[in-house]
Amino acid sequence: MGCNKKALVALIGSVLMVGATQVNAEPTATMLANTCAGCHGTEGKSVGPASPNLAGISKAYFIDSMNGFKNDERPGTIMNRIAKGYSEAQIDAMAAYFAGLPVYKAEVPHDAAKAKMGAEVYDKSCAKCHDENGALPDDDAGILAGQWLPFLEYSMADFQGGHREMPKKMKKQVEKLSDDEIAAVLNYFASQK
Amino acid sequence: MANFTRRKFIQVAGGAAAISTLGFPAIVGAAGGKKVVVVGGGVGGATAAKYIRMADSSIDVTLIEPNTEYYTCFMSNEVLSGHRKMESIKVTYDGLKGHGVNVVHDTVTDIDAAGKKVMTAGGQTFEFDRCVVAPGISFQDNIEGYDAAAMEKMPHAWKAGEQTVLLRKQLEAMPDGGVVAIAAPPNPFRCPPGPYERACQIGMYLQAHKPKSKLIIMDAKDKFSKMGLFKQAFERYYKGTIEWVGASDGGKVTRVDAATNTLYVGDTAHKVDVANVIPAQKAAAIAEKAGLTNDAGWCPIDGRSFESSMQPGVHVIGDASVASPLPKSGYAANSEAKVCAAAIVELLNGREPGDPALVNTCYSVVGPNDAISVAMVYDLQDGKLGKVSGSGGLTPSDSSPEMRSREVQYAYSWFENIKNDSWG
């Protein structure tokens, strides 16, 4: 490991080369996250009517979602195509960015009567895992409170249709619910402000 | 150095103007600080202004745009079908003012890159450290007879607003059994899938209200964006209503006669009831005047910062720039604006711009409850903008009705979010 002159020259040469051409400094987390805003709203606050808010969602859930899309394990429209454009490190950086923002709950149009009925369904069937009426990011189940209703409906349709894997506990609960009860609880989540 | 004389002239003229108006605030914001002037308040300009302020509120940002309200081109095809009102594609500049952007409604008449000044028709001069030019498009004279008067008879409706309203009125006034022609432009042009989505939207209107009518797309090209998916939609929803004629089959319109609503392909005349003529395009006139355009009429840029390759200190974003492989789309303009904004913030703070990240997403609503999309992720590869390999692509041609219906909802979500992200 002596100071080989040849190696040193080569090393200096390569450093200069890197400096000169500015090879692949990673885009910042903000730069990466800003590309999402056209569909998910400025700083992840979606103004609807279907795209989910990303502000405040947990890092683990964001990474899990992106990998799900990337590997075609979670159904989507364009997200499966977009997620494939990001490296693990980039997804990690975006996840940290959105997790660092305060949780955002949108003013979502919903059926008030259904939402009222949904409160009971929530208490009975969902509250154990989806804490704080679906507003707690740290339960790693995604933020459901104040999410746009079509997004919640699509997600549930994917779970029920077997296109997206449900955790065992959730599957057990969902199977016990009627269509009306499910519609009600989705309206309940959407109604959270 | 073809611009040398012109620029010299501007410097002299600018100096003279400043002297002649001594005592008046002709030169705005001349003292200290970091100043950015944004020319154009479309999606690119608005987003850049907002995102510079969001990243560094110490930067003084002035956006100059002649109109007090702006109509988005995206979703304007739904106005033609009657599925949407003009009001819903209208945005104002109040949101930008909320971010501390100084919004000036005036027309930029020249940009002096060397002297770092922007001049307006209203006689104002704005100094800048960095200038963002987002002027959009103007039209080329590729179709004989398609002059300013012909535009009022055969609307292009390629800049949303009065032209959109005019085309809609013509469709409403047309008798059942009439023929609508869309003359689609050659590449490159604003919104590559636009003419074909428009055909679908007008097709929906015709089938609902004038079922005996036909729509013919006369194309200056043989291939177009999302072609397979559009042809699938034409077949699925508009059989017998929409016909597409490519350039090699006699679709390339070379001349028009506005008095008789006739489109010519060479000597072959096609008389129609409603003619939507979309000419070839180039960057808007101000870009050319400012010495930002290449021989093809578009503005070459550095993909890291969107700084002009021709005029240092001036950045060009949106449809006017050569950002290929990004398309000339609203989402691309929004994405480019953020890269440009971040680079300007770095440069004005004495730092090098970092690596850019860009996305394009474009939806076309092609039928009742049916939308298709294209998406792509871009980054800098060996100093040039490139597609991230493995990313992006089109809606699969065999996607289910359920997924197509979701794409409509996501299209509308995209519309609300991009409006708000750009102007809100």
Side-chain angles (χ1 to χ4, degrees):
Chain A
M1 295 284 279
C3 184
N4 181 323
K5 198 180 167 192
K6 222 179 203 174
L8 187 66
V9 169
L11 181 66
I12 291 169
S14 71
V15 167
L16 287 176
M17 287 274 288
V18 168
T21 52
Q22 286 192 324
V23 181
N24 284 343
E26 276 289 319
T28 63
T30 306
M31 170 73 75
L32 289 161
N34 281 349
T35 64
C36 311
C39 293
H40 290 279
T42 309
E43 294 174 332
K45 295 184 279 229
S46 175
V47 292
S51 317
N53 307 306
L54 302 180
I57 72 174
S58 80
K59 216 179 149 191
Y61 183 74
F62 183 93
I63 293 170
D64 190 51
S65 298
M66 286 292 271
N67 287 335
F69 288 129
K70 200 171 173 176
N71 303 323
D72 291 318
E73 287 157 7
R74 178 169 166 181
T77 52
I78 61 161
M79 274 316 299
N80 299 61
R81 292 172 252 158
I82 288 176
K84 292 181 178 71
Y86 297 101
S87 67
E88 206 177 305
Q90 289 175 330
I91 290 173
D92 218 58
M94 284 190 269
Y97 171 90
F98 288 113
L101 299 172
V103 171
Y104 175 71
K105 290 175 246 173
E107 286 274 336
V108 181
H110 61 273
D111 184 317
K114 283 186 186 171
K116 201 174 167 200
M117 173 185 162
E120 289 166 36
V121 182
Y122 169 79
D123 284 340
K124 185 180 70 179
S125 307
C126 315
K128 264 191 191 161
C129 299
H130 295 279
D131 298 301
E132 295 179 14
N133 303 330
L136 186 72
D138 292 336
D139 64 13
D140 292 337
I143 293 171
L144 305 178
Q147 287 290 11
W148 294 87
L149 195 50
F151 166 74
L152 294 171
E153 289 166 350
Y154 299 152
S155 301
M156 186 50 91
D158 289 338
F159 283 129
Q160 288 184 295
H163 307 297
R164 184 175 166 189
E165 204 182 335
M166 268 190 276
K168 273 200 186 98
K169 282 183 194 164
M170 177 171 168
K171 194 162 190 274
K172 215 172 141 190
Q173 293 301 323
V174 167
E175 279 169 356
K176 279 193 245 169
L177 299 176
S178 70
D179 289 352
D180 283 350
E181 286 173 314
I182 284 176
V185 79
L186 298 186
N187 274 274
Y188 174 70
F189 285 128
S191 74
Q192 299 300 307
K193 290 189 195 83
Chain B
M1 289 277 116
N3 292 321
F4 181 73
T5 317
R6 186 192 55 78
R7 203 178 300 134
K8 269 288 196 205
F9 171 76
I10 292 163
Q11 282 168 358
V12 172
I19 290 159
S20 70
T21 54
L22 207 65
F24 295 93
I27 295 181
V28 179
K34 296 170 278 188
K35 291 178 195 62
V36 176
V37 174
V38 181
V39 179
V43 61
T47 307
K50 171 175 169 176
Y51 271 75
I52 290 170
R53 292 286 308 168
M54 276 170 55
D56 184 348
S57 60
S58 77
I59 299 175
D60 182 89
V61 179
T62 298
L63 180 139
I64 310 175
E65 157 66 39
N67 303 302
T68 54
E69 44 199 40
Y70 178 87
Y71 293 91
T72 65
C73 269
F74 35 88
M75 290 294 168
S76 66
N77 286 329
E78 288 207 330
V79 174
L80 300 176
S81 64
H83 293 172
R84 187 176 281 281
K85 299 276 179 232
M86 284 298 284
E87 192 64 24
S88 80
I89 61 166
K90 186 174 91 176
V91 293
T92 70
Y93 294 92
D94 294 344
L96 294 182
K97 289 172 192 164
H99 290 280
V101 176
N102 174 32
V103 179
V104 174
H105 295 295
D106 202 344
T107 302
V108 172
T109 49
D110 211 344
I111 301 159
D112 175 6
K116 295 192 176 297
K117 282 193 289 256
V118 170
M119 279 68 73
T120 69
Q124 300 187 83
T125 299
F126 297 87
E127 295 190 332
F128 63 79
D129 296 298
R130 293 267 156 188
C131 181
V132 180
V133 181
I137 52 153
S138 63
F139 299 112
Q140 302 214 30
D141 301 328
N142 67 317
I143 298 172
E144 196 188 329
Y146 193 69
D147 54 17
M151 264 178 210
E152 299 307 309
K153 190 81 197 301
M154 307 168 115
H156 52 74
W158 219 239
K159 293 181 183 180
E162 285 171 17
Q163 283 269 309
T164 315
V165 173
L166 179 59
L167 184 54
R168 168 67 188 173
K169 280 185 181 158
Q170 290 183 349
L171 291 167
E172 285 171 329
M174 187 186 84
D176 191 9
V179 175
V180 183
I182 297 175
N187 292 325
F189 64 99
R190 161 182 283 177
C191 191
Y196 316 96
E197 184 203 47
R198 174 171 291 181
C200 293
Q201 287 290 325
I202 295 176
M204 271 186 266
Y205 170 74
L206 296 179
Q207 286 180 341
H209 302 282
K210 289 156 192 182
K212 290 180 216 149
S213 307
K214 288 201 186 317
L215 184 149
I216 174 169
I217 308 166
M218 301 178 67
D219 212 322
K221 310 173 290 301
D222 281 326
K223 283 196 295 190
F224 57 88
S225 171
K226 307 180 191 168
M227 186 166 175
L229 290 166
F230 276 115
K231 287 195 137 185
Q232 184 190 56
F234 296 163
E235 181 73 17
R236 189 177 281 169
Y237 304 115
Y238 310 107
K239 215 172 173 178
T241 301
I242 294 179
E243 185 193 350
W244 175 77
V245 184
S248 346
D249 293 320
K252 188 179 177 180
V253 174
T254 50
R255 178 162 68 95
V256 295
D257 178 7
T260 57
N261 251 10
T262 307
L263 304 109
Y264 291 88
V265 177
D267 293 331
T268 311
H270 300 271
K271 191 171 159 29
V272 300
D273 296 278
V274 175
N276 169 216
V277 177
I278 310 163
Q281 293 160 33
K282 59 181 177 180
I286 187 62
E288 193 177 347
K289 196 169 182 203
L292 296 164
T293 52
N294 62 15
D295 290 345
W298 301 101
C299 307
I301 48 92
D302 167 24
R304 181 180 294 277
S305 60
F306 284 81
E307 184 164 0
S308 165
S309 318
M310 304 178 72
Q311 303 287 359
V314 178
H315 302 246
V316 187
I317 52 172
D319 295 340
S321 70
V322 183
S324 174
L326 277 93
K328 298 188 184 305
S329 74
Y331 205 115
N334 173 275
S335 206
E336 291 166 16
K338 292 168 188 172
V339 169
C340 177
I344 284 177
V345 168
E346 294 302 294
L347 288 164
L348 290 181
N349 285 294
R351 298 185 293 258
E352 283 292 308
D355 267 14
L358 301 108
V359 160
N360 177 56
T361 295
C362 162
Y363 290 97
S364 308
V365 181
V366 298
N369 249 345
D370 190 342
I372 56 176
S373 60
V374 62
M376 185 62 68
V377 181
Y378 306 86
D379 64 3
L380 206 63
Q381 299 164 9
D382 299 324
K384 285 186 175 158
L385 292 169
K387 297 175 178 179
V388 174
S389 120
S391 79
L394 296 160
T395 298
S397 59
D398 61 352
S399 66
S400 65
E402 157 67 8
M403 289 313 245
R404 293 293 185 96
S405 128
R406 285 189 193 184
E407 293 231 39
V408 175
Q409 291 309 309
Y410 285 127
Y412 294 157
S413 250
W414 164 83
F415 178 58
E416 293 306 323
N417 278 310
I418 201 154
K419 272 195 298 184
N420 195 55
D421 190 40
S422 304
W423 291 276

